[in-house]
Amino acid sequence: MTQLDRLSVYHWLNAWCIKPVGGALVRQEPEYILLALMGSPLKKIMLCSSEKEIFSVEEQVMVQHSVIINNMIEDGSYNHEESKIPLDCVDSKTLKKVIDYCTHHTHHHNDNQEDLEAWDAQFLNVDSNGLYDLLMAANYLEIRNLLDLIYGTIKNMIKGKKIDEIRRIFNIKDHGFTPEEEEQNRKEYPHFY
Amino acid sequence: MTTTLHPAIAESNPLETTTTINTLSEDLIAEILFRLPARNLLELNTVCKSWKTLISNSRFALNHFRRSIADPTMTNPRLVYSTRHFVDCNIGFFPVQPLLENTSSPSSNPTTVVSFEMKDCLEILGSCNGLLCLLEIICNFVPCTGVESDWIEIEQRGVEVVNHGFGYDHVHDRYKLLLFVQKRRQEPKTPMVLTFGANNSWSTMPDFPFYPQRCKGEFVSGTLNWIHKVPVTLNSWMIVFFDLARESFGEVFLPFMNGEPVLQVARECLCVCVDHQKSHFDVWIMKEYGVEESWTKLIVISHVELKHYEPPYPLYLVYIYENGVVLAIPPTSYKLVLYDPNDHNRLHYPLFDSSSDGMTKFPMSERAAPRGFHVFHESLVSPSHLGFPSEVAYWN
């Protein structure tokens, strides 16, 4: 979206701000119309982590990425003057990462694919707990592209691995098969064991 | 949308070596598994009981198939064929993708042959969602998982199956087979519908407006389609369809064609191939089923490029690759041909391993045409999901 020259739009609107109110024609203040036209790109919203830390982030950024937040804003349940959005299942560290992701992708969506992928790779350079927390947060907030990125990474982690490794990765301590079933599995897929 | 692992992350990321992910809910596990090809998922059945339950579920199999259908690396499209000769109880299949790549060296992808004991003259009736429907009597078979259902007898005895169509009714979640059978030539054909399930049920159609002229009905979007000549006219054709859910007939618009169109399915859409004005073949595709305006001319193949062409035999389209290359069987040459519309229309004859075919006296590369080809995509959909007895026929 190209950035409009606010000053020139302001002057233009100044000359034409006429709005019918109660039968009479009233001049509407240009600042409000400008905000309405541009969808308040710099309007901020407040997100509150589980640790009660408040993060201020551009509304446009979160609305573009998170289905949950977009719905909240659209149906009016979020009041800009007073509210903050409580995210009790997301801690501060993870929330900050999520906000980073959304902000980068909004501001850099015109970058070429390779640069974006490199940034994503660096972004996911986290430890295992971090990845899990990110997945939970992205799932809760319904951020489609972050989810795809994380799922793709996990999928690549298990591709080509043997069964012990996969059980370790997913923390599967009890596989639930009887010894006979396990024996049968070994026979069917020997290269996998 | 698929994401590949960036080289930077593969090298330096501690994720690769030390990660464990805390227990994920079934939904999230499913999301990860959806992104893996059917083949890998068969192995993953052995990881733990809950994964096995998830992967064996029929809903999961169908959803996985639908999500993977657009990506050839996920569905691994294959050509399956039978020889339709006496005492031949085999079907063979090989992957389609390597044909595109190994055109100048002998293919290292051997044909997989599956034998069905004590059957004569197997014919493949159709493929749908990864299931193959075979006729000697009738059974369903899934090449990916190797599961074969029990064989079902056709109710009427001593009939010949003349026309057929196999497809999936997504409204009722049932697989159906439409057959036109005939006792003797010149006698009227009887249409019958077999609905697969715990009680395989046959129903006869009370009345139907036409007899299909071609053998196989093409399955697209819940319908079986045939080309039909408009009665009383010289040169006019239409497409008639059988709606599997409603079990009723209808007509689909076909643009005017200058020759007899041959119906195929490619990229999940209906295609027709027409011998146009005796100089070239046109391939048209209906991008959105039932939408008149979505008929688009896809490819033009001139006769000159196809050597040994003799009218009036049609060109059989087998598969269209992502990059527009066409795999076809040109008339009278009996070979599979790769035709690249972007590459000065050059032809390639892909080689594939016919020596391990072992199916009949006729090696693959010489006599392709007598074999009936069907494209299928690998999936986890299984005859056991249909509710009637099946067992694993072979290990893949």
Side-chain angles (χ1 to χ4, degrees):
Chain A
M1 186 174 123
T2 55
Q3 293 287 332
L4 296 172
D5 182 346
R6 293 185 75 145
L7 210 51
S8 49
V9 173
Y10 182 102
H11 288 310
W12 183 86
L13 284 174
N14 220 0
W16 295 97
C17 297
I18 307 168
K19 185 184 173 223
V21 173
L25 292 175
V26 173
R27 271 262 311 250
Q28 185 76 1
E29 291 310 316
E31 288 89 351
Y32 293 112
I33 295 189
L34 186 67
L35 283 175
L37 273 181
M38 295 181 68
S40 27
L42 294 184
K43 201 161 191 186
K44 302 244 177 185
I45 55 174
M46 306 292 172
L47 303 178
C48 181
S49 75
S50 60
E51 291 147 331
K52 305 293 175 225
E53 204 180 321
I54 311 269
F55 292 84
S56 170
V57 59
E58 284 177 39
E59 175 183 306
Q60 188 191 243
V61 163
M62 291 317 292
V63 155
Q64 266 183 17
H65 284 94
S66 165
V67 173
I68 293 292
I69 293 182
N70 182 52
N71 291 347
M72 272 187 200
I73 308 269
E74 274 196 1
D75 69 21
S77 56
Y78 179 73
N79 180 329
H80 286 93
E81 269 66 41
E82 295 167 12
S83 310
K84 48 191 191 305
I85 299 180
L87 301 171
D88 290 331
C89 40
V90 186
D91 65 24
S92 295
K93 183 170 147 220
T94 311
L95 187 51
K96 184 165 189 318
K97 286 279 279 184
V98 168
I99 292 172
D100 271 345
Y101 179 87
C102 298
T103 312
H104 180 89
H105 275 261
T106 299
H107 292 162
H108 293 252
H109 75 276
N110 281 329
D111 283 9
N112 72 53
Q113 198 58 27
E114 276 173 23
D115 289 341
L116 280 176
E117 281 179 12
W119 191 92
D120 283 346
Q122 199 49 42
F123 173 79
L124 279 185
N125 205 346
V126 293
D127 64 21
S128 45
N129 286 331
L131 186 68
Y132 176 78
D133 291 336
L134 269 177
L135 176 58
M136 292 295 121
N139 189 41
Y140 176 70
L141 290 168
E142 288 183 46
I143 303 175
R144 191 73 256 162
N145 48 354
L146 180 56
L147 275 175
D148 280 341
L149 178 67
I150 298 175
Y151 285 135
T153 307
I154 298 177
K155 173 201 94 177
N156 286 326
M157 272 161 58
I158 66 181
K159 214 167 185 187
K161 294 285 194 317
K162 300 232 188 257
I163 190 170
D164 285 333
E165 190 61 18
I166 295 182
R167 283 174 176 164
R168 195 189 60 76
I169 290 174
F170 285 92
N171 211 20
I172 296 170
K173 300 218 163 50
D174 175 18
H175 52 69
F177 291 119
T178 67
E180 293 80 29
E181 285 170 333
E182 188 68 343
E183 192 52 40
Q184 184 65 22
N185 289 343
R186 264 179 209 276
K187 280 195 193 140
E188 280 178 49
Y189 302 103
H191 57 275
F192 187 47
Y193 272 79
Chain B
M1 178 182 130
T2 52
T3 316
T4 50
L5 207 58
H6 192 274
I9 200 177
E11 282 164 22
S12 62
N13 199 316
L15 277 181
E16 279 296 307
T17 47
T18 61
T19 313
T20 62
I21 303 175
N22 295 343
T23 320
L24 294 175
S25 70
E26 201 172 271
D27 291 342
L28 300 189
I29 300 272
E31 282 292 328
I32 298 167
L33 297 180
F34 277 142
R35 287 160 164 82
L36 288 160
R39 236 157 234 288
N40 290 61
L41 291 182
L42 287 179
E43 273 177 354
L44 294 178
N45 257 327
T46 61
V47 169
C48 68
K49 209 77 192 241
S50 59
W51 282 31
K52 180 169 181 161
T53 315
L54 178 64
I55 294 172
S56 316
N57 178 273
S58 62
R59 278 278 122 216
F60 177 88
L62 198 54
N63 285 335
H64 172 268
F65 180 74
R66 284 198 183 123
R67 283 173 72 146
S68 62
I69 192 66
D71 182 359
T73 58
M74 286 278 283
T75 57
N76 196 6
R78 299 181 153 203
L79 282 187
V80 62
Y81 63 94
S82 62
T83 57
R84 298 197 206 137
H85 285 278
F86 288 121
V87 302
D88 198 340
C89 56
N90 301 316
I91 63 171
F93 48 92
F94 52 88
V96 152
Q97 208 58 31
L99 292 179
L100 193 58
E101 288 132 27
N102 301 335
T103 50
S104 57
S105 58
S107 171
S108 56
N109 293 286
T111 308
T112 311
V113 175
V114 179
S115 289
F116 294 86
E117 284 162 11
M118 308 201 304
K119 305 285 174 209
D120 311 313
C121 198
L122 264 187
E123 185 173 341
I124 301 167
L125 291 182
S127 91
C128 175
N129 292 357
L131 284 172
L132 293 181
C133 188
L134 306 174
L135 174 72
E136 201 265 354
I137 305 183
I138 295 172
C139 97
N140 276 325
F141 173 66
V142 187
C144 180
T145 57
V147 179
E148 173 192 338
S149 76
D150 277 2
W151 292 78
I152 305 161
E153 286 196 18
I154 303 180
E155 255 178 7
Q156 297 189 23
R157 292 260 154 196
V159 293
E160 200 186 311
V161 173
V162 190
N163 312 94
H164 52 81
F166 175 60
Y168 176 65
D169 166 8
H170 55 269
V171 173
H172 301 108
D173 190 22
R174 290 267 182 273
Y175 290 85
K176 293 186 180 170
L177 181 66
L178 170 65
L179 296 177
F180 286 84
V181 296
Q182 198 180 39
K183 269 213 152 58
R184 278 174 284 275
R185 304 274 160 98
Q186 317 308 330
E187 276 195 17
K189 304 183 198 180
T190 317
M192 301 158 65
V193 176
L194 169 61
T195 305
F196 291 100
N199 317 303
N200 298 308
S201 60
W202 292 91
S203 56
T204 48
M205 311 296 305
D207 63 274
F208 53 96
F210 71 97
Y211 295 100
Q213 286 142 8
R214 290 269 170 207
C215 211
K216 176 170 174 260
E218 302 292 340
F219 172 71
V220 162
S221 282
T223 59
L224 297 170
N225 299 269
W226 284 267
I227 290 279
H228 192 67
K229 193 148 182 296
V230 178
V232 180
T233 63
L234 251 188
N235 231 9
S236 181
W237 285 271
M238 59 187 187
I239 297 177
V240 287
F241 70 84
F242 175 71
D243 183 319
L244 287 169
R246 298 199 190 99
E247 296 195 358
S248 62
F249 294 89
E251 192 188 320
V252 174
F253 173 79
L254 177 69
F256 176 73
M257 299 282 157
N258 235 342
E260 185 179 349
V262 174
L263 201 60
Q264 294 288 314
V265 169
R267 293 181 179 165
E268 311 302 306
C269 298
L270 272 187
C271 284
V272 291
C273 183
V274 182
D275 191 2
H276 190 69
Q277 290 164 0
K278 310 233 180 300
S279 62
H280 58 273
F281 288 102
D282 280 343
V283 177
W284 292 75
I285 187 168
M286 180 162 53
K287 292 191 169 169
E288 261 186 74
Y289 186 75
V291 174
E292 202 174 298
E293 297 80 20
S294 71
W295 278 107
T296 321
K297 191 187 286 197
L298 198 61
I299 305 161
V300 175
I301 305 174
S302 91
H303 288 175
V304 174
E305 273 107 30
L306 295 171
K307 300 163 192 157
H308 323 294
Y309 173 66
E310 282 165 38
Y313 297 104
L315 180 75
Y316 286 107
L317 221 69
V318 174
Y319 187 75
I320 302 182
Y321 292 90
E322 293 286 299
N323 57 3
V325 172
V326 170
L327 185 65
I329 303 176
T332 74
S333 90
Y334 296 130
K335 288 189 193 212
L336 281 178
V337 143
L338 282 175
Y339 177 78
D340 189 346
N342 301 318
D343 184 11
H344 306 293
N345 302 329
R346 265 173 52 211
L347 290 180
H348 303 283
Y349 291 91
L351 299 165
F352 34 87
D353 190 342
S354 59
S355 56
S356 73
D357 177 318
M359 279 171 58
T360 67
K361 306 181 203 46
F362 305 107
M364 201 43 193
S365 50
E366 284 172 26
R367 303 262 299 183
R371 292 159 162 80
F373 279 104
H374 300 254
V375 175
F376 75 91
H377 297 266
E378 292 200 324
S379 85
L380 295 169
V381 178
S382 168
S384 51
H385 295 159
L386 276 54
F388 67 104
S390 344
E391 57 179 22
V392 181
Y394 76 104
W395 302 120
N396 195 356

